[in-house]
Amino acid sequence: MGSAKGILSFTDTFPNEESCIKYFENLRWKNGVVSPFDKTSKVYKCKGNKYRCKNTGKYFDVKTGTVFANTKLPLRYWFYAMFLFLSHKRGVSSCQLSRDLGITQKTAWNMLNKIREYMGAFNDCSLSGEVEIDETFIGGKNKNRHKDKKVEKCQGRSFKDKVPVFGMLQRGGKVVAKVVSNTKAKTLEPYITEHVQENSIIYTDGWDYGEIRDKYIQMSVDHGIGFYGTSFITEDGEFIQISTNKIENAWSHLKRTIFGTYYQVSKKHMQKYIDEFTFRFNTRDFTDNQRFDLYLYHIA
């Protein structure tokens, strides 16, 4: 896509359905059309942007085997939804998308949910160096609930009425975030060892993460006693900043996205929204067009 920004760039690049099809074909089949049924087969071009696999006799097009397969909506609708969805820092609601495309809210919701399904692959990074880890809890505040919907004893780290999310953020790098069943050490430690390289420096809020000191250098703050962090320079001249400010800022952005754009997210679909957040965070230095191409290339 061109270097121009915004929706005008989109309309210039994709003025019609044919332009979307050709763009997707170039991403998916850079070295020539390949049959999704038999990669070794010769392929014949047919009318209407369709192809025929010689070995199987089956017909296919560029949408076959992708999120766009069997869709009744034009590919240009999908492209518009993805570009809008990926270019807004806090996403786009299904209500807004339904108005923009002139489709039902249910159809728009299904489109956005399909788009999120392919973002999980970007929430599986390897982290190293200085890594901040923390948990957050997604859900409305109990004090704001109607009296007949208030939940007893749900203060602090209780998640009777909230969804716990565990995150790891490499300073100056990427973030990994997962919905977890609880915040016990035996639940969280495997995520740390899976995603954080050994001998990394891990900054925590003092919560018990099991035996991570055997593999990592752990430095902690303690919000309970009012210790939110400190900085110092080592004898070797290395600057050390003990804090979890960066991942806490990431959580703040996540919550503003959910409560400001989506208002309410069910636990069943929470991980998809977390994947959306991590994808957008991990591509924060990309242009809108670069982010669009990266995502489209992935699903192609």
Side-chain angles (χ1 to χ4, degrees), residues 7 10 14 20 68 73-88 91-94 96-98 100-101 103 107-116 119 262 276 280 292 295:
I7 201 64
F10 175 87
F14 304 115
C20 295
F68 310 122
L73 292 172
L75 192 60
R76 192 166 186 255
Y77 276 41
W78 281 96
F79 275 29
Y80 180 86
M82 289 189 300
F83 186 78
L84 197 67
F85 179 75
L86 296 172
S87 61
H88 285 284
V92 60
S93 70
S94 57
Q96 181 63 51
L97 186 62
S98 70
D100 289 343
L101 293 181
I103 57 179
T107 299
W109 187 90
N110 286 330
M111 289 178 73
L112 294 175
N113 220 31
K114 276 287 185 183
I115 293 171
R116 290 188 187 95
M119 291 182 166
Y262 304 122
E276 173 194 339
R280 195 171 278 113
F292 177 86
Y295 178 80

Side-chain angles (χ1 to χ4, degrees), residues 12-291:
D12 289 342
T13 306
F14 304 115
N16 50 45
E17 182 72 2
E18 184 71 17
S19 62
C20 295
I21 293 173
K22 294 303 179 186
Y23 194 86
F24 196 39
E25 284 185 346
N26 290 333
L27 277 179
R28 186 175 186 183
W29 298 318
K30 287 185 176 181
N31 301 316
V33 180
V34 178
S35 169
F37 308 112
D38 186 346
K39 294 181 179 180
T40 65
S41 176
K42 186 176 181 179
V43 172
Y44 299 108
K45 185 171 177 59
C46 306
K47 292 181 179 180
N49 294 304
K50 290 187 176 296
Y51 300 89
R52 182 175 178 270
C53 174
K54 180 181 178 181
N55 290 354
T56 64
K58 295 180 179 179
Y59 290 88
F60 65 93
D61 58 25
V62 71
K63 296 182 287 185
T64 303
T66 73
V67 65
F68 310 122
N70 302 318
T71 180
K72 295 180 180 179
L73 292 172
L75 192 60
R76 192 166 186 255
Y77 276 41
W78 281 96
F79 275 29
Y80 180 86
M82 289 189 300
F83 186 78
L84 197 67
F85 179 75
L86 296 172
S87 61
H88 285 284
K89 289 185 177 181
R90 297 183 185 176
V92 60
S93 70
S94 57
C95 293
Q96 181 63 51
L97 186 62
S98 70
R99 289 191 293 268
D100 289 343
L101 293 181
I103 57 179
T104 65
Q105 184 271 335
K106 182 179 180 180
T107 299
W109 187 90
N110 286 330
M111 289 178 73
L112 294 175
N113 220 31
K114 276 287 185 183
I115 293 171
R116 290 188 187 95
E117 284 182 8
Y118 285 80
M119 291 182 166
F122 297 93
N123 189 13
D124 193 27
C125 312
S126 177
L127 311 176
S128 61
E130 294 182 298
V131 180
E132 298 182 13
I133 64 177
D134 192 26
E135 313 80 45
T136 192
F137 301 87
I138 308 297
K141 294 182 178 180
N142 202 40
K143 66 180 182 179
N144 294 334
R145 295 189 175 97
H146 193 273
K147 62 180 180 181
D148 63 348
K149 293 184 179 180
K150 290 186 183 295
V151 181
E152 294 183 358
K153 299 179 180 179
C154 63
Q155 292 82 10
R157 299 180 73 95
S158 170
F159 45 87
K160 292 168 63 177
D161 62 331
K162 297 179 178 67
V163 179
V165 180
F166 177 58
M168 298 155 281
L169 184 151
Q170 178 179 319
R171 290 182 177 176
K174 297 182 177 180
V175 66
V176 175
K178 304 290 182 180
V179 172
V180 291
S181 56
N182 57 65
T183 56
K184 296 179 180 178
K186 64 180 181 180
T187 300
L188 303 183
E189 187 177 357
Y191 288 104
I192 300 172
T193 56
E194 177 184 357
H195 293 285
V196 183
Q197 295 180 19
E198 288 191 23
N199 300 316
S200 297
I201 301 175
I202 290 184
Y203 299 96
T204 76
D205 61 356
W207 187 247
D208 178 18
Y209 293 102
E211 303 300 323
I212 64 172
R213 289 185 181 274
D214 295 340
K215 298 180 180 179
Y216 308 99
I217 302 170
Q218 182 180 1
M219 298 185 180
S220 300
V221 297
D222 192 339
H223 295 170
I225 61 173
F227 177 57
Y228 295 94
T230 187
S231 302
F232 63 89
I233 299 177
T234 66
E235 293 180 354
D236 298 326
E238 183 180 4
F239 179 75
I240 301 294
Q241 183 180 32
I242 304 175
S243 77
T244 55
N245 290 343
K246 288 180 172 57
I247 193 165
E248 287 170 11
N249 288 337
W251 290 148
S252 178
H253 182 74
L254 167 63
K255 291 180 179 180
R256 287 198 301 269
T257 297
I258 290 179
F259 301 141
T261 303
Y262 304 122
Y263 304 111
Q264 185 176 356
V265 176
S266 68
K267 185 175 182 179
K268 176 182 177 181
H269 297 290
M270 182 63 75
Q271 185 61 57
K272 292 179 181 178
Y273 287 84
I274 300 300
D275 292 339
E276 173 194 339
F277 158 73
T278 58
F279 176 81
R280 195 171 278 113
F281 183 93
N282 292 340
T283 58
R284 60 194 181 279
D285 295 328
F286 286 41
T287 65
D288 293 341
N289 295 339
Q290 288 172 335
R291 190 178 298 108

